[in-house]
PDB file of all heavy atoms in Angstrom:
ATOM      1  N   GLY U 148      28.409 -29.800 -19.454  1.00  0.00           N
ATOM      2  CA  GLY U 148      28.295 -31.214 -19.819  1.00  0.00           C
ATOM      3  C   GLY U 148      26.916 -31.776 -19.525  1.00  0.00           C
ATOM      4  O   GLY U 148      26.802 -32.949 -19.163  1.00  0.00           O
ATOM      5  N   LEU U 149      25.884 -30.969 -19.679  1.00  0.00           N
ATOM      6  CA  LEU U 149      24.519 -31.407 -19.386  1.00  0.00           C
ATOM      7  C   LEU U 149      23.635 -31.227 -20.611  1.00  0.00           C
ATOM      8  O   LEU U 149      23.962 -30.481 -21.533  1.00  0.00           O
ATOM      9  CB  LEU U 149      23.936 -30.560 -18.235  1.00  0.00           C
ATOM     10  CG  LEU U 149      24.606 -30.691 -16.879  1.00  0.00           C
ATOM     11  CD1 LEU U 149      24.064 -29.643 -15.931  1.00  0.00           C
ATOM     12  CD2 LEU U 149      24.372 -32.078 -16.299  1.00  0.00           C
ATOM     13  N   GLU U 150      22.497 -31.913 -20.608  1.00  0.00           N
ATOM     14  CA  GLU U 150      21.497 -31.764 -21.662  1.00  0.00           C
ATOM     15  C   GLU U 150      20.712 -30.475 -21.418  1.00  0.00           C
ATOM     16  O   GLU U 150      20.422 -30.138 -20.269  1.00  0.00           O
ATOM     17  CB  GLU U 150      20.526 -32.947 -21.644  1.00  0.00           C
ATOM     18  CG  GLU U 150      21.140 -34.243 -22.104  1.00  0.00           C
ATOM     19  CD  GLU U 150      21.506 -34.227 -23.580  1.00  0.00           C
ATOM     20  OE1 GLU U 150      20.729 -33.672 -24.377  1.00  0.00           O
ATOM     21  OE2 GLU U 150      22.580 -34.750 -23.926  1.00  0.00           O
ATOM     22  N   PRO U 151      20.359 -29.726 -22.467  1.00  0.00           N
ATOM     23  CA  PRO U 151      19.531 -28.532 -22.283  1.00  0.00           C
ATOM     24  C   PRO U 151      18.199 -28.894 -21.618  1.00  0.00           C
ATOM     25  O   PRO U 151      17.571 -29.885 -21.970  1.00  0.00           O
ATOM     26  CB  PRO U 151      19.300 -28.015 -23.707  1.00  0.00           C
ATOM     27  CG  PRO U 151      20.442 -28.553 -24.488  1.00  0.00           C
ATOM     28  CD  PRO U 151      20.774 -29.874 -23.862  1.00  0.00           C
ATOM     29  N   GLY U 152      17.807 -28.100 -20.644  1.00  0.00           N
ATOM     30  CA  GLY U 152      16.559 -28.336 -19.916  1.00  0.00           C
ATOM     31  C   GLY U 152      16.742 -29.226 -18.704  1.00  0.00           C
ATOM     32  O   GLY U 152      15.757 -29.681 -18.117  1.00  0.00           O
ATOM     33  N   SER U 153      17.971 -29.495 -18.279  1.00  0.00           N
ATOM     34  CA  SER U 153      18.207 -30.307 -17.084  1.00  0.00           C
ATOM     35  C   SER U 153      17.664 -29.575 -15.856  1.00  0.00           C
ATOM     36  O   SER U 153      17.651 -28.349 -15.807  1.00  0.00           O
ATOM     37  CB  SER U 153      19.699 -30.566 -16.894  1.00  0.00           C
ATOM     38  OG  SER U 153      20.218 -31.279 -17.983  1.00  0.00           O
ATOM     39  N   PRO U 154      17.219 -30.332 -14.833  1.00  0.00           N
ATOM     40  CA  PRO U 154      16.665 -29.682 -13.637  1.00  0.00           C
ATOM     41  C   PRO U 154      17.734 -28.915 -12.852  1.00  0.00           C
ATOM     42  O   PRO U 154      18.940 -29.179 -12.971  1.00  0.00           O
ATOM     43  CB  PRO U 154      16.100 -30.839 -12.819  1.00  0.00           C
ATOM     44  CG  PRO U 154      16.762 -32.060 -13.339  1.00  0.00           C
ATOM     45  CD  PRO U 154      17.127 -31.789 -14.767  1.00  0.00           C
ATOM     46  N   GLY U 155      17.275 -27.961 -12.026  1.00  0.00           N
ATOM     47  CA  GLY U 155      18.173 -27.090 -11.277  1.00  0.00           C
ATOM     48  C   GLY U 155      19.085 -27.831 -10.319  1.00  0.00           C
ATOM     49  O   GLY U 155      20.256 -27.480 -10.150  1.00  0.00           O
ATOM     50  N   GLU U 156      18.570 -28.898  -9.690  1.00  0.00           N
ATOM     51  CA  GLU U 156      19.387 -29.664  -8.739  1.00  0.00           C
ATOM     52  C   GLU U 156      20.565 -30.326  -9.453  1.00  0.00           C
ATOM     53  O   GLU U 156      21.692 -30.351  -8.950  1.00  0.00           O
ATOM     54  CB  GLU U 156      18.502 -30.719  -8.061  1.00  0.00           C
ATOM     55  CG  GLU U 156      19.176 -31.434  -6.924  1.00  0.00           C
ATOM     56  CD  GLU U 156      19.613 -30.507  -5.812  1.00  0.00           C
ATOM     57  OE1 GLU U 156      18.865 -29.567  -5.473  1.00  0.00           O
ATOM     58  OE2 GLU U 156      20.731 -30.715  -5.287  1.00  0.00           O
ATOM     59  N   GLU U 157      20.325 -30.820 -10.637  1.00  0.00           N
ATOM     60  CA  GLU U 157      21.395 -31.461 -11.403  1.00  0.00           C
ATOM     61  C   GLU U 157      22.439 -30.434 -11.852  1.00  0.00           C
ATOM     62  O   GLU U 157      23.644 -30.713 -11.856  1.00  0.00           O
ATOM     63  CB  GLU U 157      20.797 -32.177 -12.625  1.00  0.00           C
ATOM     64  CG  GLU U 157      21.786 -33.052 -13.351  1.00  0.00           C
ATOM     65  CD  GLU U 157      21.148 -33.830 -14.503  1.00  0.00           C
ATOM     66  OE1 GLU U 157      19.911 -33.951 -14.524  1.00  0.00           O
ATOM     67  OE2 GLU U 157      21.913 -34.284 -15.360  1.00  0.00           O
ATOM     68  N   ILE U 158      21.995 -29.224 -12.224  1.00  0.00           N
ATOM     69  CA  ILE U 158      22.928 -28.161 -12.633  1.00  0.00           C
ATOM     70  C   ILE U 158      23.846 -27.802 -11.473  1.00  0.00           C
ATOM     71  O   ILE U 158      25.072 -27.698 -11.638  1.00  0.00           O
ATOM     72  CB  ILE U 158      22.153 -26.922 -13.120  1.00  0.00           C
ATOM     73  CG1 ILE U 158      21.368 -27.243 -14.391  1.00  0.00           C
ATOM     74  CG2 ILE U 158      23.091 -25.750 -13.360  1.00  0.00           C
ATOM     75  CD1 ILE U 158      20.393 -26.164 -14.810  1.00  0.00           C
ATOM     76  N   ARG U 159      23.261 -27.631 -10.281  1.00  0.00           N
ATOM     77  CA  ARG U 159      24.079 -27.266  -9.103  1.00  0.00           C
ATOM     78  C   ARG U 159      25.073 -28.378  -8.750  1.00  0.00           C
ATOM     79  O   ARG U 159      26.232 -28.112  -8.416  1.00  0.00           O
ATOM     80  CB  ARG U 159      23.155 -26.971  -7.921  1.00  0.00           C
ATOM     81  CG  ARG U 159      22.437 -25.635  -8.043  1.00  0.00           C
ATOM     82  CD  ARG U 159      21.705 -25.277  -6.762  1.00  0.00           C
ATOM     83  NE  ARG U 159      20.540 -26.114  -6.532  1.00  0.00           N
ATOM     84  CZ  ARG U 159      19.326 -25.880  -7.033  1.00  0.00           C
ATOM     85  NH1 ARG U 159      19.124 -24.836  -7.804  1.00  0.00           N
ATOM     86  NH2 ARG U 159      18.327 -26.693  -6.776  1.00  0.00           N
ATOM     87  N   ARG U 160      24.593 -29.626  -8.812  1.00  0.00           N
ATOM     88  CA  ARG U 160      25.475 -30.749  -8.473  1.00  0.00           C
ATOM     89  C   ARG U 160      26.644 -30.847  -9.445  1.00  0.00           C
ATOM     90  O   ARG U 160      27.796 -30.992  -9.044  1.00  0.00           O
ATOM     91  CB  ARG U 160      24.669 -32.060  -8.512  1.00  0.00           C
ATOM     92  CG  ARG U 160      25.445 -33.274  -8.040  1.00  0.00           C
ATOM     93  CD  ARG U 160      24.622 -34.537  -8.078  1.00  0.00           C
ATOM     94  NE  ARG U 160      23.907 -34.767  -9.330  1.00  0.00           N
ATOM     95  CZ  ARG U 160      24.477 -35.175 -10.470  1.00  0.00           C
ATOM     96  NH1 ARG U 160      25.770 -35.405 -10.513  1.00  0.00           N
ATOM     97  NH2 ARG U 160      23.759 -35.358 -11.554  1.00  0.00           N
ATOM     98  N   ARG U 161      26.366 -30.672 -10.745  1.00  0.00           N
ATOM     99  CA  ARG U 161      27.429 -30.759 -11.767  1.00  0.00           C
ATOM    100  C   ARG U 161      28.416 -29.599 -11.626  1.00  0.00           C
ATOM    101  O   ARG U 161      29.627 -29.786 -11.801  1.00  0.00           O
ATOM    102  CB  ARG U 161      26.785 -30.764 -13.164  1.00  0.00           C
ATOM    103  CG  ARG U 161      27.760 -30.867 -14.290  1.00  0.00           C
ATOM    104  CD  ARG U 161      28.422 -32.209 -14.322  1.00  0.00           C
ATOM    105  NE  ARG U 161      29.315 -32.268 -15.457  1.00  0.00           N
ATOM    106  CZ  ARG U 161      30.406 -32.987 -15.513  1.00  0.00           C
ATOM    107  NH1 ARG U 161      30.729 -33.765 -14.501  1.00  0.00           N
ATOM    108  NH2 ARG U 161      31.174 -32.970 -16.572  1.00  0.00           N
TER     109      ARG U 161
END
Side-chain angles (χ1 to χ4, degrees):
L149 295 171
E150 289 293 321
S153 298
E156 188 60 40
E157 189 176 342
I158 295 170
R159 286 189 289 274
R160 186 179 49 75
R161 181 68 178 151

